[in-house]
Amino acid sequence: MKEKLVLIGNGMAGMRTVDELLKLSPDKFAITVFGAEPHGNYNRIMLSPVLAGDKQLSEIIINDLQWYKDNKITLYTGKTIIQIDRINRQVIADDNSITNYDRLIIATGSVPVMLDIPGKNLEGVISFRDINDVNIMIETAKTHKNAIVIGGGLLGLEAANGLMIQGMNVSVVHRNNTLMSQQLDQESADLMRSELEEKGMHFLMEHQTEALLGDKRVEKVRFKDGSEVEADLVVMAIGVRPNIKLAQASGIQCDRGILVDDTLQTFTPTIYAVGECVQHRKKTFGLVAPLFEQAKVCANHLVDMGIASYVSSATSTKLKVTGIDLFSAGDFIGDNTTENIIFKDATRHIYKKLVIQNNKIMGIVLYGETTDGLWYFSLLTEGKDISEIRENIIFGQHHIEENHE
Amino acid sequence: MTKTTTSLTTCPYCGVGCGVQATREEDGTISIKGDKSHPANFGRLCSKGSALADTIGLENRLLHPQVNGKQTSWDTALDAVSDGLKQVIEKHGPDAVAFYVSGQLLTEDYYVANKLMKGFIGSANIDTNSRLCMSSAVAGYKRAFGSDSVPCNYEDLEQADLIVIVGSNAAWCHPIVYQKIVKAKQQRPTLKVVVIDPRKTATCDIADLHLPLKPGTDATLFNGLLHYIKQQNTMDWEFVNQHTEGFAKALISAEKSATDITQVAQICELSDQDVSNFFQLFANIEKVVTLYSQGVNQSSSGTDKSNSIINCHLASGRIGKPGMGPFSITGQPNAMGGREVGALSNQLAAHMELDNPLHHNLVSRFWQTDNLASTAGAQAVDMFEDIANGKIKAIWVIATNPVVTLPNADKVRRAIETCDLVIVSECELNTGTVARADILLPALAWGEKCGTVTNSERRISHQRNFLPHPGEAEEDWWILSQVANRMGYGHAFSYQSSAEIFREHANLSGFENNGKRDFDISQLANISDKQYDELIPIQWPVTAGRPKGTERLFEDKHFFTSTGKAQFIAITPRPPVNATSAEYPLILNTGRVRDQWHTMTRTARSSRLNAHISEPIVQIHPIDADNCQLTNGGLARLDSQRGNMLARIVITEEQRIGSVFVPMHWNDFLASKGRVNALVNPVVDPISGQPESKHTPIKVKPYQPVWYGFMFSRTPLIPTDSEYWVKIKGNQFWRYELAGEALIDDPSRWAKNQLGEEGEWLEFSDQGAQRYRAGKIVDNKLNCIVFIASEHDLPARSWLSQLFSEQTLSDEMRMSLLAGKPGAGLPDIGPMVCACFGIGENTIKDAVECGSAKTVEEIGVLLKAGTNCGSCIPELKNLISSKSG
């Protein structure tokens, strides 16, 4: 009789854990998966290309329903688990169905942060999180004109870009003056902005949204300075927070996220958690790379190997945002103890910056030309002294003589 | 001129006097080739000669007369000149005016200048820049032969079995003569070459023996040789007894100063072995030519040095025979012509002497003047001394640039600034002398003017014009004649053509000569204008007896002394006047570099000529460099008691310990502080008046600016904030080597101020390392570059230079531009597919094509592509299917 494994959350982190499990020991568990969304699991990162019309939904499906059958995995889509009974090792779904487990993985991911302002529930006010949001955007674009995206972060700009391609007149509202401040410094952010403006995107920098106006459907956005803009669609992309509602309700130790140890185990030994819903050593996660690392470790322990342990390491972001190559890592802002090595080719929209301290790379921002990103990143993680190659480092690895590599 | 025309002319540079064939295409473009028919070079040209076409543009040419900075008519300018001169003469006498002329002048110009000053103004205050290069050789010849006669010719170099090259880097300064020697040595490996020079120059490449003697000890070496010849009894007693005088005296002082090889070796700081090897070679080989130049001449005992050389040739009777003789090779295209017309302040005319009453009377009658100068005038260095102390109140400088070339040049510059009347005839606008003139007279340049020149082997050639007269420029002889007319000497200066002047000059040379004087070209005295135009190169004397000219002098063993015998001169070697001291421990030696000429007003127009040595340099031995804490490629400040300069440091073993070498070329328009003659001591040879330009005590220390840098620009500009700058014309750009003493706080702004805002800017900055680089691109063409650093070792300029020839700048070039070098051609990975691991389409295609990856998983194993976020898996699938499909 196989052990019963239940996975809550049919997303990337959870399913990657199942993949790893199947690799390690295909027959150890009878696996049941609950997904709130009515699909097989898909690559959430690829929602932007879908919105931009570069990809079809079918192309971003990682595992279709057939795959679950072939791997003898029971998949419940559109079913939401509303409670975990830790004593009886059961999960209860919104249709009151009960499923027993020996081991449970919580992979409920994250939920978008929505501004708590008047009008937030008006029709046409959405986030950018799943296929449903994407479908709404595509449909709205067919019938409406003006879109406002609140939040000039990575997700916001992707949404704005997609909506623009879908034919809408898009304005991005941003709190401060630096777009994508998680990835970019002022200089590169300005470069990004001007490049997007050339494409026709509008920006309302240093604007704070006060209210969304309209009877049934949103019609206007009002800002703290009193100004207003037309809006048929408002996409809130001001960030995400771990989705811990279920875990908390079920008495699992949470802080900002579900607390896990280096084996991704929660405070309840039979229950594991992976992905954007967890908090590991005070850190929560938004990028894909660490999630996959977590999946490996988690699976390793579920099959009782118990040799792997999860260490969250410095991560670099290499992205294609609205068709622009970006790379950033480490402390790319720096302070009065650091020095900057900068290369700029404004007309070509290229900007490279290395933040240096005692001849070691502390931070990296590459905009428009990211070929050497991973090389710089390896120098950063290895803490290599670059004094020997400092003169040419900004021009890339192929400008460094062999003996310096 | 509408269709293609070809004219034969001569090169305007060194004294080899090569024949040049200039072709003018229909569109006006000029191409230059060597003249195969010219005996000096038989079609060969050196780097400078080959680049002549690059130098004939009209930019920075003086094309209109100016008085006090204002353009004016010729009449006004010429009146101003004659009035100015007349006033000074009336007030202060004829010796208060002076002409300082040039070996660049044609013989006809020279003749008229000399005639005007000596014959009619009545002063001998005319001297030439040839004073700086061969007056010691002249004095030496005159003492030995009674006349300024160069006995040899270039053929002798080909026939000799031993060539002793003394104080000459012929490989660079007389390249075609050097090439003759190289060729001869290839054909006859038995030909031995000995080079005597403190420096190991390029000329040493073919030397069987190089004697890097102590600067200034040449006379001791040749005294030792004379003594040795006597001891070994390889004398030509018959010749010495019959045809020479003074051997005994000469031998005594030779024995005194050079008792034996060991002593000679000690004094010259050479090895006994080397010295005796040289002596043996000279003593035992019959056919010897001693070729000497500035290393001998530019010395406070230059005349003695040349006589110590001549002594050895007289003692062994090696003169007036094929493949033998003491051969002084001159620096300038028409130094010899100047000597022939007597345009040195201690000569009269046509190799006649001022202090010789017969000559004085003869010339007075020939010129029909009663005002002929009878006492020697001021020699170059004294002339400017006299300007400084007010004795001379008006100076007319013709075709030369004394503020750069004369010793103690800063003082010369001040002297000119204080002079009441400064008249300058020039073709160039950018000379330090022009900048200080009251009256400017535009002269024709090479290719525009036409007349005769004489090269080092006494060969008179016709330098012909093949370019139209630009602006209002005129022949120098015309300008001089016009002034003479205005001063009231019209009857003697009514010349209509250079041919007319040449005939008069030829007439004078034969006037009551009858073989008494060496210089006689009377056979050419009556040639028609046509014959003059078609004159083929010919060696003087050209007389009724020798209508085809004279290859070699003294074949008849008759000399032009009173007794008809050659004179030995007793030589007591003298060290250079100023010895080194604790404060000034190094000897400054000056000279030429391969691809530049004089003060670069012409050669600096040619980008290829600027490529060889593009900055003022100081060459110094590693040991001295060490003592002075100099680093190769860095900058040095050189100081003498008189002045200072800045130069790029070149550390080389070829330099003798204790002495440094600096080129004499750079002027204030090409370098902020590159005039070496500002340092040179104004010490002269008591007999020849030639300056000791190769021996000035100096000190050298590192020059340490706050920043170093360079700029390239398609258009010339004026760099600011740079204490050190050198301007170098390149192919489609100007390059500026820079260094500054004040930190540039905002390099980006600074760069844009220097080079102009508009355009696509690329910038690289590393403030921590004080590094800034920028480039500007206009219409996809590289427009300018600036590199700044705290150290001197900036990237090489070569690759950047090439980029200015590119029609459009490729992406690779653009991305590598500010690295200053091309990247090690990374394979083009193609459009990015897997962003996570930076794997491009081409890389994946390759893996798929060669079959090493058939599935997405296999690609993942091979290249990691798609194994992280998986976003690229669809592309991977497509790439696979597109292959199989």
Side-chain angles (χ1 to χ4, degrees), chain A residues 180-387:
Chain A
M180 285 183 68
S181 48
Q182 297 295 309
Q183 291 84 14
L184 302 180
D185 66 348
Q186 192 60 51
E187 187 100 31
S188 46
D190 294 347
L191 218 46
M192 174 128 214
R193 188 172 142 196
S194 63
E195 204 170 342
L196 290 174
E197 279 171 340
E198 281 169 29
K199 285 188 177 181
M201 202 180 285
H202 307 291
F203 290 91
L204 298 159
M205 306 301 280
E206 290 163 2
H207 276 59
Q208 297 204 23
T209 316
E210 186 175 68
L212 308 176
L213 312 177
D215 307 338
K216 190 162 165 302
R217 182 182 187 88
V218 65
E219 290 162 13
K220 280 195 174 124
V221 178
R222 183 198 297 143
F223 303 104
K224 288 225 161 75
D225 63 9
S227 61
E228 296 181 350
V229 289
E230 303 277 312
D232 309 314
L233 177 72
V234 172
V235 179
M236 292 205 192
I238 56 177
V240 295
R241 56 180 149 70
N243 180 2
I244 59 174
K245 201 151 138 267
L246 173 66
Q248 239 167 354
S250 315
I252 297 164
Q253 284 281 0
C254 295
D255 176 16
R256 281 174 299 134
I258 303 165
L259 296 171
V260 294
D261 62 14
D262 291 351
T263 69
L264 285 310
Q265 199 170 34
T266 67
F267 278 55
T268 309
T270 53
I271 304 178
Y272 290 76
V274 293
E276 294 184 331
C277 61
V278 308
Q279 176 175 349
H280 171 263
R281 294 176 181 257
K282 299 196 170 60
K283 258 185 99 210
T284 59
F285 304 88
L287 295 162
V288 77
L291 309 196
F292 289 174
E293 191 53 35
Q294 291 171 7
K296 270 207 190 68
V297 176
C298 182
N300 179 283
H301 283 276
L302 284 167
V303 298
D304 306 325
M305 291 182 171
I307 47 171
S309 101
Y310 176 70
V311 213
S312 66
S313 55
T315 54
S316 67
T317 1
K318 196 174 205 315
L319 308 160
K320 218 179 183 64
V321 184
T322 72
I324 299 162
D325 282 318
L326 295 180
F327 184 100
S328 76
D331 169 14
F332 54 80
I333 302 298
D335 55 32
N336 55 4
T337 71
T338 59
E339 300 160 346
N340 296 338
I341 301 181
I342 294 171
F343 173 84
K344 261 184 287 179
D345 184 348
T347 6
R348 291 286 176 93
H349 301 294
I350 292 170
Y351 172 81
K352 305 195 218 173
K353 171 175 154 191
L354 299 176
V355 177
I356 307 293
Q357 189 172 46
N358 311 324
N359 279 310
K360 294 197 170 83
I361 300 180
M362 308 307 288
I364 308 160
V365 187
L366 305 180
Y367 181 97
E369 215 292 303
T370 56
T371 322
D372 293 288
L374 294 163
W375 178 57
Y376 294 140
F377 187 59
S378 69
L379 295 174
L380 181 151
T381 45
E382 292 161 28
K384 256 230 170 88
D385 181 309
I386 60 145
S387 34

Side-chain angles (χ1 to χ4, degrees), chain A residues 292 318 345 390-391 399, chain B residues 766 773 814 821 835 868:
Chain A
F292 289 174
K318 196 174 205 315
D345 184 348
R390 183 165 180 158
E391 181 176 356
H399 271 289
Chain B
D766 181 350
R773 301 173 184 179
R814 186 174 176 132
K821 59 187 177 70
N868 188 25

Side-chain angles (χ1 to χ4, degrees), chain A residues 16 43 46 288-289 292 318 339-345 347-348 374 390-392 394-395 398-399 401, chain B residues 760 762-766 768 771 773 811 814 816 818-819 821-824 826 835 837 867-869 871:
Chain A
R16 184 62 166 253
N43 187 335
M46 304 295 278
V288 77
F292 289 174
K318 196 174 205 315
E339 300 160 346
N340 296 338
I341 301 181
I342 294 171
F343 173 84
K344 261 184 287 179
D345 184 348
T347 6
R348 291 286 176 93
L374 294 163
R390 183 165 180 158
E391 181 176 356
N392 287 312
I394 202 73
F395 303 104
H398 63 301
H399 271 289
E401 285 72 17
Chain B
E760 300 176 14
L762 280 66
E763 287 184 293
F764 160 48
S765 71
D766 181 350
R771 209 173 266 130
R773 301 173 184 179
D811 288 6
R814 186 174 176 132
S816 302
L818 299 188
K821 59 187 177 70
L826 259 199
F837 296 109
T867 58
N868 188 25
C869 75
S871 308

Side-chain angles (χ1 to χ4, degrees), chain B residues 356-628:
Chain B
N356 178 325
L358 292 166
H359 291 169
H360 191 274
N361 168 282
L362 184 155
V363 174
S364 296
R365 280 184 288 120
F366 185 84
W367 279 347
Q368 297 169 2
T369 176
D370 49 13
N371 195 26
L372 184 66
S374 53
T375 55
Q379 298 173 340
V381 174
D382 307 341
M383 187 180 278
F384 287 85
E385 191 56 47
D386 288 350
I387 293 171
N389 62 36
K391 250 194 243 161
I392 292 173
K393 306 217 175 288
I395 176 85
W396 188 351
V397 179
I398 303 177
T400 183
N401 197 4
V403 303
V404 179
T405 51
L406 276 176
N408 203 3
D410 285 350
K411 190 176 177 193
V412 169
R413 189 162 64 186
R414 287 193 296 276
I416 291 180
E417 279 160 356
T418 58
C419 187
D420 294 353
L421 177 61
V422 179
I423 305 152
V424 177
S425 303
E426 251 302 339
C427 45
E428 295 293 331
L429 204 50
N430 287 348
T431 85
T433 309
V434 162
R436 288 157 182 84
D438 302 305
I439 302 173
L440 281 176
L441 307 171
L444 292 175
W446 177 81
E448 298 157 3
K449 60 182 178 180
C450 127
T452 57
V453 295
T454 310
N455 73 0
S456 292
E457 59 169 357
R458 287 174 286 106
R459 190 179 300 276
I460 299 169
S461 300
H462 200 139
Q463 191 178 99
R464 296 179 179 86
N465 61 318
F466 53 90
L467 292 169
H469 293 188
E472 297 179 84
E474 288 288 355
E475 287 98 343
D476 285 290
W477 64 258
W478 181 89
I479 301 171
L480 285 153
S481 307
Q482 287 301 310
V483 170
N485 291 331
R486 283 171 167 73
M487 293 178 78
Y489 316 126
H491 58 285
F493 293 88
S494 57
Y495 303 115
Q496 296 306 310
S497 71
S498 52
E500 192 183 343
I501 300 164
F502 180 81
R503 284 189 290 264
E504 181 179 315
H505 165 58
N507 256 309
L508 175 57
S509 75
F511 188 56
E512 298 174 13
N513 188 326
N514 315 319
K516 288 200 292 294
R517 307 192 301 269
D518 65 333
F519 181 69
D520 185 344
I521 54 170
S522 46
Q523 188 64 15
L524 303 172
N526 301 313
I527 57 174
S528 66
D529 289 7
K530 188 163 180 301
Q531 288 170 308
Y532 174 78
D533 288 338
E534 294 164 354
L535 183 70
I536 56 161
I538 186 165
Q539 287 173 289
W540 64 260
V542 190
T543 58
R546 293 176 164 280
K548 297 245 163 303
T550 312
E551 287 185 351
R552 199 170 287 101
L553 296 180
F554 309 131
E555 283 171 319
D556 58 1
K557 300 183 173 53
H558 168 78
F559 297 88
F560 296 92
T561 51
S562 49
T563 59
K565 294 182 174 188
Q567 301 298 306
F568 280 92
I569 305 293
I571 301 301
T572 308
R574 276 176 289 122
V577 169
N578 291 318
T580 56
S581 63
E583 195 187 353
Y584 299 102
L586 295 167
I587 298 165
L588 170 64
N589 176 10
T590 67
R592 289 173 177 169
V593 298
R594 191 191 73 198
D595 288 355
Q596 294 298 344
W597 172 257
H598 279 190
T599 66
M600 294 169 69
T601 50
R602 265 187 310 217
T603 41
R605 294 161 173 255
S606 167
S607 55
R608 27 179 180 161
L609 295 182
N610 295 332
H612 179 234
I613 294 175
S614 42
E615 277 181 278
I617 55 167
V618 53
Q619 289 179 311
I620 186 164
H621 188 279
I623 291 173
D624 293 325
D626 228 44
N627 297 337
C628 306

Side-chain angles (χ1 to χ4, degrees), chain A residues 110-114 127-129 133 155 236-241:
Chain A
S110 60
V111 287
V113 178
M114 303 296 278
S127 66
F128 180 31
R129 179 64 189 164
D133 297 326
L155 219 51
M236 292 205 192
I238 56 177
V240 295
R241 56 180 149 70

